[in-house]
Amino acid sequence: YLKISKLALAFAIIHSKPRGKSSKEYTEHLAKTISEQDFGWKWKVEVLEAEVLRLRQELLLNRICPRFCLENNTSAEILLDRESVNPTSYSSQLEDSGCDVSNDSAFDSLGIASDFHQSEHNVKVPPLNLCHSSKEQSLTAPVQFLQHLLEIRKLSEGGILQADFSELENDSFTICNSVSQLLDGLTVFYNNPKFPVSNFLTEAVCVLVSLITDTKLSNHVLKKCFKKLEEFKKNLIQIILRSSCVNRFQALHSVSQTLVLLGRNNILRNSLISLLLSEVRQFAEQLLQTHQVQSVYDIFQYENIFPLCMILEQLLQNETEESNISSSDYQGEEKIKFLKNLDQIILHLSDEFPLFSLYLWRVSVLLNSAQMQ
């Protein structure tokens, strides 16, 4: 049947082709016309799906707290004024190479670390027409919805509003899609960051971190969006490892700090430590093999492994400080693989790669101290 259909279509195209055009040219013209029509329909479908999600978000918020007002025009105007008064407040770091990542200055230049504590509990989100880039427009709806959830949570905790967050269990589609859109939008930005970073993208990171660290909301989010969050962490790690542009350290440091902030949640921290242990171990084994055969190694990958080592060390230190090590998942298979033959790896690499060997040793000390406790 399929062969007969294709043959009939070919005869129809040949029979109906205009003069002066070959069958191939006419076929390509028809294919282009149909694809343009398909694109138009796809765009209309995406617009309608976005509108449906927005309405579902409003309905869910209304079910959680009928008294909550969704109007936020005043705060949006304040944010717009702040952008217009100092639109390049984060551009000072762009004049140099961005190679100095010995402290948090590079991350502060993105406005994330310095603004996080100020806006963590009071993030205000502009409406769609205040966003100028497509990246920000794709983030507007999920950021607004999730921020409204956080505002309701804060007001209900203070006794100002009564809210029923059990409604989140009854509408997993809305919360999952909203978080997924936020994570996808942040991944797009981190893959191709633009400087100076707008305040809105800074607020998007704050909303994500506030959401996963909130004692009541994080459980709902993790149950429904754990796989998506795991995918997001893996994407950020690969962004760090694959980066090869010369002036990249400022952007990589911002990605690193976002991973550290995600590690504030115990469940995400344990899985993140496992991912980092695996990546660092695999690189150490590859570097040892390359060194033994006197082959050329990838200098970009070597430089990019250090942010992962620093994230890993910081997360392990946080675990030690919180005395929560006995419940950590990373003490299983990944920890055993990491520590296996590590002394021999450090011994063979210490002369040629002393800094990397030092990081391996420091991580091993933290892992061994955790085992002793």
Side-chain angles (χ1 to χ4, degrees):
Y1 177 80
L2 183 60
K3 290 181 179 179
I4 294 173
S5 300
K6 289 181 178 180
L7 187 60
L9 177 61
F11 274 114
I13 292 174
I14 294 171
H15 180 73
S16 62
K17 74 179 182 67
R19 290 182 179 181
K21 274 192 175 183
S22 66
S23 298
K24 180 180 179 182
E25 290 174 342
Y26 187 51
T27 303
E28 291 174 349
H29 168 72
L30 291 176
K32 183 179 179 181
T33 302
I34 293 173
S35 64
E36 289 176 350
Q37 293 176 352
D38 288 343
F39 178 79
W41 280 110
K42 288 179 181 178
W43 180 81
K44 291 179 181 178
V45 169
E46 289 176 358
V47 171
L48 292 174
E49 286 178 343
E51 179 63 15
V52 169
L53 179 59
R54 186 189 65 81
L55 293 174
R56 293 189 66 152
Q57 289 170 342
E58 290 188 7
L59 179 61
L60 180 57
L61 290 173
N62 186 261
R63 287 176 177 173
I64 293 173
C65 183
R67 291 180 54 199
F68 184 70
C69 180
L70 298 179
E71 297 296 332
N72 198 19
N73 294 330
T74 304
S75 59
E77 292 174 0
I78 294 174
L79 181 60
L80 181 62
D81 292 339
R82 188 173 63 188
E83 291 262 10
S84 61
V85 170
N86 193 13
T88 58
S89 59
Y90 304 130
S91 61
S92 59
Q93 292 286 332
L94 302 180
E95 297 175 0
D96 59 21
S97 65
C99 294
D100 182 11
V101 292
S102 59
N103 51 40
D104 291 342
S105 60
F107 189 56
D108 289 342
S109 71
L110 295 177
I112 298 175
S114 58
D115 289 351
F116 175 77
H117 298 292
Q118 297 175 6
S119 55
E120 182 178 6
H121 301 294
N122 191 26
V123 179
K124 299 301 182 182
V125 182
L128 182 61
N129 59 355
L130 296 183
C131 300
H132 303 290
S133 70
S134 58
K135 292 180 183 179
E136 293 179 3
Q137 288 181 4
S138 65
L139 285 173
T140 300
V143 168
Q144 285 183 329
F145 167 67
L146 297 173
Q147 180 54 37
H148 288 321
L149 278 180
L150 291 168
E151 290 174 352
I152 293 174
R153 169 79 172 89
K154 182 180 178 182
L155 293 173
S156 64
E157 191 176 34
I160 300 174
L161 291 176
Q162 290 184 348
D164 180 14
F165 286 100
S166 63
E167 289 291 336
L168 292 175
E169 297 285 352
N170 302 326
D171 193 356
S172 60
F173 172 85
T174 301
I175 186 71
C176 284
N177 275 31
S178 300
V179 174
S180 294
Q181 284 188 4
L182 175 57
L183 297 178
D184 289 340
L186 290 174
T187 302
V188 170
F189 165 73
Y190 283 129
N191 267 306
N192 188 24
K194 300 295 183 183
F195 300 100
V197 178
S198 70
N199 289 345
F200 182 74
L201 286 167
T202 301
E203 305 292 0
V205 175
C206 295
V207 166
L208 175 62
V209 175
S210 298
L211 189 68
I212 64 172
T213 54
D214 186 277
T215 53
K216 286 190 176 180
L217 295 180
S218 62
N219 291 331
H220 294 284
V221 174
L222 289 174
K223 281 193 292 186
K224 299 173 177 63
C225 311
F226 182 76
K227 289 185 178 180
K228 189 67 179 182
L229 286 164
E230 288 295 290
E231 179 186 344
F232 179 62
K233 291 186 298 183
K234 292 177 181 178
N235 287 337
L236 294 189
I237 290 174
Q238 290 306 312
I239 288 172
I240 293 176
L241 290 174
R242 292 196 309 263
S243 183
S244 59
C245 59
V246 176
N247 192 14
R248 67 190 184 280
F249 295 102
Q250 180 182 359
L252 291 187
H253 196 56
S254 69
V255 179
S256 300
Q257 289 299 320
T258 300
L259 284 170
V260 171
L261 292 175
L262 291 176
R264 292 185 175 188
N265 180 280
N266 290 335
I267 297 176
L268 295 181
R269 178 169 55 203
N270 293 337
S271 61
L272 179 55
I273 289 175
S274 295
L275 290 172
L276 293 170
L277 285 173
S278 177
E279 292 291 345
V280 174
R281 174 184 58 81
Q282 291 179 41
F283 176 79
E285 293 174 350
Q286 293 172 5
L287 186 62
L288 176 60
Q289 183 178 4
T290 302
H291 177 62
Q292 288 176 337
V293 298
Q294 298 297 313
S295 179
V296 178
Y297 64 92
D298 187 345
I299 184 62
F300 289 113
Q301 192 174 12
Y302 178 75
E303 292 174 345
N304 293 341
I305 201 66
F306 286 101
L308 298 189
C309 292
M310 288 185 280
I311 298 169
L312 182 56
E313 184 178 12
Q314 186 168 348
L315 293 176
L316 290 172
Q317 288 175 342
N318 291 343
E319 281 281 340
T320 304
E321 292 172 359
E322 295 179 13
S323 301
N324 191 33
I325 299 172
S326 59
S327 61
S328 298
D329 296 335
Y330 65 85
Q331 289 199 76
E333 184 178 355
E334 284 303 330
K335 178 180 177 180
I336 295 173
K337 288 182 179 180
F338 185 86
L339 294 175
K340 184 179 180 181
N341 300 325
L342 184 62
D343 292 338
Q344 291 297 319
I345 294 176
I346 294 175
L347 178 63
H348 287 90
L349 294 180
S350 57
D351 290 338
E352 189 73 20
F353 308 99
L355 183 58
F356 180 59
S357 300
L358 177 62
Y359 269 106
L360 290 178
W361 176 78
R362 288 163 64 167
V363 170
S364 68
V365 169
L366 288 171
L367 289 173
N368 286 323
S369 65
Q371 187 174 13
M372 292 176 62
Q373 294 184 20

